[in-house]
Amino acid sequence: ATNASVQRLLTQETEGNPISFEERQSLQQEVRKYEAYATGIRSLELYTTDYQRLLPLDDVSLNSRVPDEWIRRVDDGRGRLVWFGLDPRDPDVVIAIRSIRLIDRSFSHAGYIMVYIEKSNFQLTDRASAAGSGTRESMGLFDEAGQQIFSDFTKEADAGEMLNHGGETITVGGEDYIAVQKLSEATGWKLVILTPVDYATEGISVLRTAVIVSGAVGGLLFLVFTFILSTMITRPILNLIKVMRGARFGTLKPSTITSTTMEINELNNTYNQMVAFLNELIDVVYQKEIIQSRTELKALQAQINPHFLFNTLEAFYWALDEKGEEELAQIVVDMSGLFRYVINRTDDDEWVTIGDELDHAERYLKIMKMRMLDRLSWRIESDAASRSVPLPKLLIQPLVENAILHGVEQRVGPGSVILRVEPSNRPGYTLVTVTDDGPGMDADKLRSLYASMEAGRSSSTKGKGIGIANVERRLKLIYASEAGGLDIRSGEGQGTAVSFEIPNEYREDIRREDDIDRG
């Protein structure tokens, strides 16, 4: 299904260019290689999406070869190999069908491949070795329709009775058997194993006698060893208790008591380890202030002065302005504003207005526009009243960054990002929405993203979802029940829209009450 020639010719077929007879002949040579080297495969057949057969070179259609229900199951499999069991036209062959997906066309449907496998390839046991082993167990393999693919059951065995009585005792030819079934998740076939009841239960009487004798001998040995162990254990424990009592008066010394009992030695070693740990802990506490001072000194030495960074960017700006590089100079100004907004060490700057956040997002979009050129277009829509609403810093820009990274950059051709701030339908709230026209997500990816947001981590090894998970976590921590978190709407090929609602006035008292309720 992934062969280069098959992929190329079926891509040509789906684009409306029929495959010529010479190309079908060359394709037949590729298929014959697989038939020659694959064990158990009798033949392979290729069909187009409209069920016309490409190989062999005839005009037989797929829906005339197999039932329509089989074709629907293959389409639902989305490229997975679907097993159907015995061929209705040839009981010596097993059929499996797979939908061919075009790798270079986003795995779009391009045709079907039908595999004919020799029924003898599914033989589970060697009859000669099974007869010599003396187990007298029998096995049978049945497809979804209950047709027998392989079996070494006797002629008296009724396949229907075995399939309907799994895990029960059945009688075959006057002998009782235990029927065990196992359903294959990959094929939907059933494996049935019959084990004679007398074979499974032989030796139970001998086992019963051994258990009774062992119980009697064990009881006697218990009485003898109880007396011996009580003497061996009690005395060393009393000596260890004396040493441990001395620790209450500040004497933290290891115990030198030894014993022939492994448990007592282990207890003594554990006590000695505890004493060593306590002495080490005392030393750690003693040195704590010195270590803390050295750590604070190293932290001060590692600090970077933001003013040096801003002054350097200012020098870049004037140098570019003098050379007439106005566009690059403006980008440097935007970068300086971006850093000044992010690098701020004052606690009272944690809250900003939506207008500040939109200005910060605009600077970021300008920088990305310079990098992506015509591939990125953007616009910001807001009213004057919404721009004065307070919110925590850096709550909107991560969503814009995520829209560009996982939306526009993943799209073939130009893309756009729209940042919209407007009054919500919910009175007293403001709605913030970031929309992109990227490839979007299907329902499974959307559920995975929500799960990663709930766990507060990324949904993939590439870091996808870190910004969204961070914003979701901050919304719930700061606003509690006042904000419902992020609302993500996306469809495959329809882009993605991420939005959230925040109250126009932040109420610390409601937040505090929610924390108390959760506590």
Side-chain angles (χ1 to χ4, degrees):
T2 58
N3 179 272
S5 298
V6 175
Q7 290 275 316
R8 176 177 56 81
L9 294 178
L10 288 182
T11 300
Q12 173 184 327
E13 180 73 21
T14 55
E15 291 176 349
N17 301 320
I19 302 175
S20 64
F21 183 77
E22 291 77 8
E23 290 173 330
R24 292 175 64 182
Q25 285 183 319
S26 64
L27 187 61
Q28 185 177 20
Q29 296 177 359
E30 293 289 335
V31 173
R32 291 295 176 263
K33 295 178 182 178
Y34 286 93
E35 292 177 349
Y37 292 103
T39 304
I41 292 183
R42 176 178 291 186
S43 63
L44 298 170
E45 295 181 1
L46 293 177
Y47 296 85
T48 62
T49 54
D50 56 356
Y51 309 151
Q52 298 302 313
R53 184 150 71 183
L54 294 176
L55 289 177
L57 306 176
D58 54 30
D59 296 329
V60 178
S61 62
L62 179 62
N63 54 354
S64 65
R65 184 66 184 85
V66 297
D68 293 337
E69 174 63 24
W70 288 18
I71 300 177
R72 284 193 295 271
R73 288 181 56 189
V74 174
D75 293 337
D76 294 339
R78 300 177 63 86
R80 179 177 59 86
L81 187 63
V82 182
W83 297 80
F84 294 102
L86 297 179
D87 185 357
R89 299 186 181 182
D90 188 353
D92 292 330
V93 175
V94 173
I95 291 181
I97 307 177
R98 173 181 178 177
S99 171
I100 299 177
R101 300 284 173 162
L102 297 179
I103 299 175
D104 296 334
R105 294 293 188 275
S106 300
F107 295 93
S108 60
H109 177 50
Y112 303 89
I113 178 172
M114 182 183 296
V115 187
Y116 294 90
I117 306 175
E118 297 287 351
K119 176 182 176 182
S120 59
N121 196 55
F122 296 92
Q123 183 170 331
L124 302 177
T125 60
D126 185 355
R127 295 180 180 273
S129 61
S133 63
T135 61
R136 296 185 293 158
E137 289 184 341
S138 302
M139 281 192 261
L141 184 63
F142 301 87
D143 62 15
E144 291 182 335
Q147 300 182 86
Q148 178 178 293
I149 297 177
F150 164 79
S151 172
D152 58 1
F153 298 145
T154 61
K155 295 182 179 180
E156 296 83 358
D158 185 356
E161 181 181 3
M162 288 183 294
L163 292 175
N164 295 327
H165 295 82
E168 301 178 4
T169 301
I170 62 176
T171 302
V172 178
E175 186 175 0
D176 292 336
Y177 290 86
I178 299 175
V180 179
Q181 292 185 15
K182 178 62 178 178
L183 179 66
S184 171
E185 296 181 359
T187 63
W189 297 355
K190 285 186 178 180
L191 175 66
V192 180
I193 302 177
L194 295 183
T195 303
V197 174
D198 56 353
Y199 171 75
T201 58
E202 66 180 356
I204 291 182
S205 59
V206 177
L207 180 61
R208 184 187 301 112
T209 303
V211 170
I212 294 174
V213 173
S214 299
V217 174
L220 180 60
L221 293 177
F222 174 77
L223 296 176
V224 173
F225 284 109
T226 298
F227 176 76
I228 298 175
L229 290 176
S230 62
T231 304
M232 294 174 60
I233 294 176
T234 304
R235 187 175 301 167
I237 288 179
L238 293 176
N239 294 332
L240 182 59
I241 290 175
K242 293 179 181 179
V243 177
M244 296 176 68
R245 283 176 178 173
R248 294 187 303 174
F249 304 102
T251 306
L252 292 177
K253 294 182 179 181
S255 173
T256 58
I257 300 173
T258 58
S259 174
T260 58
T261 305
M262 180 180 63
E263 290 79 4
I264 299 299
N265 285 331
E266 181 66 24
L267 183 61
N268 187 68
N269 292 334
T270 302
Y271 172 76
N272 290 338
Q273 292 175 6
M274 181 188 68
V275 169
F277 174 76
L278 289 176
N279 290 327
E280 182 180 354
L281 183 60
I282 293 172
D283 184 65
V284 168
V285 173
Y286 179 78
Q287 298 293 333
K288 179 179 179 181
E289 291 298 329
I290 298 177
I291 296 175
Q292 183 176 358
S293 298
R294 291 177 179 175
T295 303
E296 292 176 355
L297 180 60
K298 290 182 179 179
L300 291 174
Q301 292 172 347
Q303 288 181 349
I304 300 175
N305 189 350
H307 298 289
F308 174 76
L309 174 62
F310 300 147
N311 293 337
T312 303
L313 291 175
E314 189 76 11
F316 284 165
Y317 167 76
W318 289 112
L320 292 171
D321 186 65
E322 291 176 357
K323 293 182 179 181
E325 299 287 347
E326 297 181 359
E327 183 178 358
L328 291 178
Q330 185 60 40
I331 292 300
V332 172
V333 172
D334 292 336
M335 289 180 62
S336 177
L338 203 70
F339 290 141
R340 287 181 186 275
Y341 188 84
V342 175
I343 304 175
N344 197 316
R345 303 178 184 275
T346 60
D347 296 333
D348 57 353
D349 198 42
E350 179 182 355
W351 284 78
V352 296
T353 64
I354 288 183
D356 296 333
E357 279 290 90
L358 294 182
D359 294 339
H360 178 62
E362 182 178 2
R363 289 190 290 267
Y364 176 77
L365 285 168
K366 288 181 179 179
I367 295 174
M368 296 305 294
K369 174 68 174 178
M370 182 196 70
R371 183 175 73 86
M372 301 180 66
L373 300 177
D374 294 336
R375 287 194 58 201
L376 173 64
S377 61
W378 58 272
R379 71 175 184 270
I380 298 177
E381 302 174 0
S382 64
D383 54 26
S386 298
R387 292 181 67 90
S388 61
V389 174
L391 82 169
K393 182 190 284 188
L394 294 178
L395 207 59
I396 297 179
Q397 186 269 337
L399 302 182
V400 176
E401 179 181 358
N402 198 76
I404 296 176
L405 179 61
H406 303 295
V408 177
E409 287 192 351
Q410 304 302 321
R411 172 187 171 92
V412 178
S416 63
V417 174
I418 301 175
L419 172 56
R420 184 179 295 110
V421 180
E422 57 189 345
S424 174
N425 295 329
R426 186 178 174 188
Y429 283 76
T430 298
L431 177 65
V432 179
T433 306
V434 179
T435 306
D436 66 78
D437 57 355
M441 297 175 285
D442 57 19
D444 291 337
K445 290 183 179 178
L446 196 57
R447 282 193 296 269
S448 175
L449 181 57
Y450 269 111
S452 66
M453 289 165 49
E454 185 69 22
R457 55 178 173 78
S458 170
S459 62
S460 71
T461 57
K462 296 181 181 180
K464 179 179 179 182
I466 289 180
I468 289 184
N470 181 278
V471 173
E472 171 78 1
R473 182 64 174 167
R474 294 176 65 199
L475 283 172
K476 292 185 176 179
L477 287 176
I478 296 174
Y479 292 101
S481 60
E482 290 189 279
L486 293 178
D487 179 28
I488 304 176
R489 303 185 179 213
S490 181
E492 195 165 10
Q494 301 177 5
T496 303
V498 183
S499 61
F500 64 89
E501 287 182 333
I502 58 173
N504 295 339
E505 295 182 3
Y506 177 69
R507 298 179 57 187
E508 182 67 25
D509 55 339
I510 293 181
R511 166 66 183 166
R512 206 178 296 114
E513 290 174 4
D514 289 337
D515 290 341
I516 294 174
D517 292 340
R518 286 197 299 269

